[in-house]
DNA sequence: TCAGTGACTGACC
DNA sequence: GGGTCAGCCACTG
């Protein structure tokens, strides 16, 4: 059974996963959504990130879209803040895109325990 | 109450 | 191989 992770809890679930992302690694909105059993709700993940600004402990800069594009950088204080945060962690960013994205990609469904076990 | 919007994605021309 | 479109669903006015 797929416990459809919706409602307000969905946000908390997203935050929980994002906090598990190791420094120097990145993942995508869709990967997080898929891990939570809502593969079609990538936009919701993005919305959760938008709301995550209230919690500074959430590394929202480690979440990019499926091709490694820093689509959410405009939501950070500075237009280059997101890129700088990533570069500080060793991630190479060029033209708002993560270089060697596959190498840095971190899939929660492969590194964390299956969400259905929660 | 309802329609518009969005830090996305996959499918389909 | 690129552009377009529909679906996802919480939030806002």
């Amino acid at each position: 059974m797929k416990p459809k992770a919706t409602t307000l809890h969905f946000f908390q679930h997203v935050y929980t996963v994002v906090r598990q992302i190791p420094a120097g690694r990145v993942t995508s909105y869709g990967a997080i959504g898929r891990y939570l059993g809502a593969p079609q709700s990538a936009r919701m993940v993005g919305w959760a990130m938008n709301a995550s600004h209230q919690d500074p402990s959430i590394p929202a800069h480690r979440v990019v879209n499926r091709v490694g594009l820093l689509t959410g950088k405009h939501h950070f204080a500075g237009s280059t803040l997101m890129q700088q945060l990533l570069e500080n962690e060793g991630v190479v960013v060029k033209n708002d895109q993560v270089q060697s994205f596959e190498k840095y990609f971190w899939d929660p469904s492969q590194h964390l325990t299956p969400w259905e076990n929660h």
Side-chain angles (χ1 to χ4, degrees):
Chain A
M1 292 298 260
K2 276 187 182 176
K4 202 174 183 181
T6 54
T7 70
L8 293 178
H9 293 291
F10 185 77
F11 278 40
Q12 296 305 316
H13 295 164
V14 171
Y15 299 156
T16 298
V17 174
V18 174
R19 273 193 274 253
Q20 307 298 313
I21 304 174
R25 306 300 294 278
V26 296
T27 191
S28 73
Y29 305 94
I32 294 173
R34 191 170 65 243
Y35 173 68
L36 295 178
Q40 307 302 332
S41 302
R43 302 188 74 147
M44 284 305 303
V45 178
W47 190 251
M49 290 298 96
N50 185 43
S52 76
H53 281 283
Q54 61 188 2
D55 190 338
S57 70
I58 299 174
H61 61 281
R62 294 183 192 141
V63 184
V64 297
N65 78 357
R66 69 185 180 115
V67 296
L69 219 49
L70 276 55
T71 52
K73 71 166 193 170
H74 295 300
H75 292 261
F76 283 78
S79 59
T80 61
L81 179 59
M82 186 176 185
Q83 177 176 335
Q84 290 181 356
L85 287 171
L86 287 172
E87 290 182 332
N88 285 343
E89 297 177 352
V91 178
V92 180
V93 179
K94 192 174 183 180
N95 294 327
D96 298 337
Q97 185 165 20
V98 175
Q99 302 298 292
S100 305
F101 181 58
E102 299 173 6
K103 188 173 66 177
Y104 296 113
F105 184 69
W106 181 86
D107 189 348
S109 65
Q110 290 189 10
H111 296 270
L112 298 180
T113 57
W115 186 254
E116 295 183 6
N117 286 352
H118 284 245

